[in-house]
Amino acid sequence: MQVLTLFAALIIAFLSSRAGAVDLENGEEINEVCAACHGEYGQGGKNGEYPRIAGQPAGYTYKQLKRFQDRSRPNMPMVEHVDKRELPDSDIEDISVYLSKIVLPTKLPPVDETAPDFDAYQRLLQTKRLMQIARAEGDIEKGKVLYKKECRSCHGKDGVGKPKDNVPMLAGQYTNYLWRQVDKYLDGTLIHDEDEPDSELLAEFSRKDIRDIFAYLSIADD
């Protein structure tokens, strides 16, 4: 179970107090650097080698970038991008809020491609923003039951996350990436719940249980 921590509350208050000062144009400019790995729209890539960052709660992204910066979340590829001289707190705020506002549709709206006003270029742009995770192996129905029982209270209905608590979305995230994070929680590289750092919640699930949950999450936002 993931509980709102004091640090998380401070981040929310900090970002809220500076909401009017956030520079989305600067965030968009910073995203040009992020796009080299995470995609133009923060959609990630290479089947989860680079995770989706679009649509994640601003406070969550801010917190992770600060962790990369102080090395409490080890990630060598991120080191050169989060140096405090290159990415001050104001820039972290701007990119975090900018990414949180990106909406990636899971379906294309129906169009009549034979219509006189059909815009092929706009359709191409819509296609580039499309985010559809491949269905993962596992029992979707069992995964749904497990998710609703064990994960929903923190990660929200259908895995959409909880922005007010800085809890990330899981649905719409690459399954391979989610597996990597679970393994890091299990080996102690990452802490699942900062309020209960010794919690062994994930260790209570079998690999099959987790596989089934991920199978459900892979179709939860379809």
Side-chain angles (χ1 to χ4, degrees), residues 4 18 68 88 90 109 123 130 175 184 203 205:
L4 181 62
R18 290 188 52 83
F68 291 136
S90 59
R123 189 64 170 180
L130 190 67
T175 304
K184 289 178 181 178
F205 293 101

Side-chain angles (χ1 to χ4, degrees), residues 10 78 108 111-112 130 148 163 169 188 202:
L10 290 173
M78 287 294 296
L108 287 174
V111 296
D112 181 0
L130 190 67
K148 301 294 184 184
M169 68 167 68
L202 289 173

Side-chain angles (χ1 to χ4, degrees), residues 64-136:
Q64 302 315 304
L65 287 171
K66 292 296 289 183
R67 284 178 167 175
F68 291 136
Q69 199 172 68
D70 66 18
R71 309 294 192 269
S72 61
R73 180 172 177 176
N75 188 297
M76 287 305 296
M78 287 294 296
V79 170
E80 64 177 301
H81 302 299
V82 295
D83 183 275
K84 291 184 179 180
R85 293 167 297 182
E86 301 294 330
L87 196 70
D89 283 355
S90 59
D91 281 358
I92 293 179
E93 295 165 39
D94 293 343
I95 185 59
S96 298
V97 175
Y98 174 78
L99 289 169
S100 74
K101 294 182 178 297
I102 296 178
V103 177
L104 299 178
T106 59
K107 297 178 181 178
L108 287 174
V111 296
D112 181 0
E113 296 186 5
T114 65
D117 60 348
F118 173 68
D119 190 327
Y121 178 67
Q122 286 301 317
R123 189 64 170 180
L124 176 62
L125 292 180
Q126 290 178 336
T127 301
K128 290 176 67 177
R129 293 179 69 102
L130 190 67
M131 185 72 179
Q132 186 58 265
I133 298 301
R135 176 173 171 172

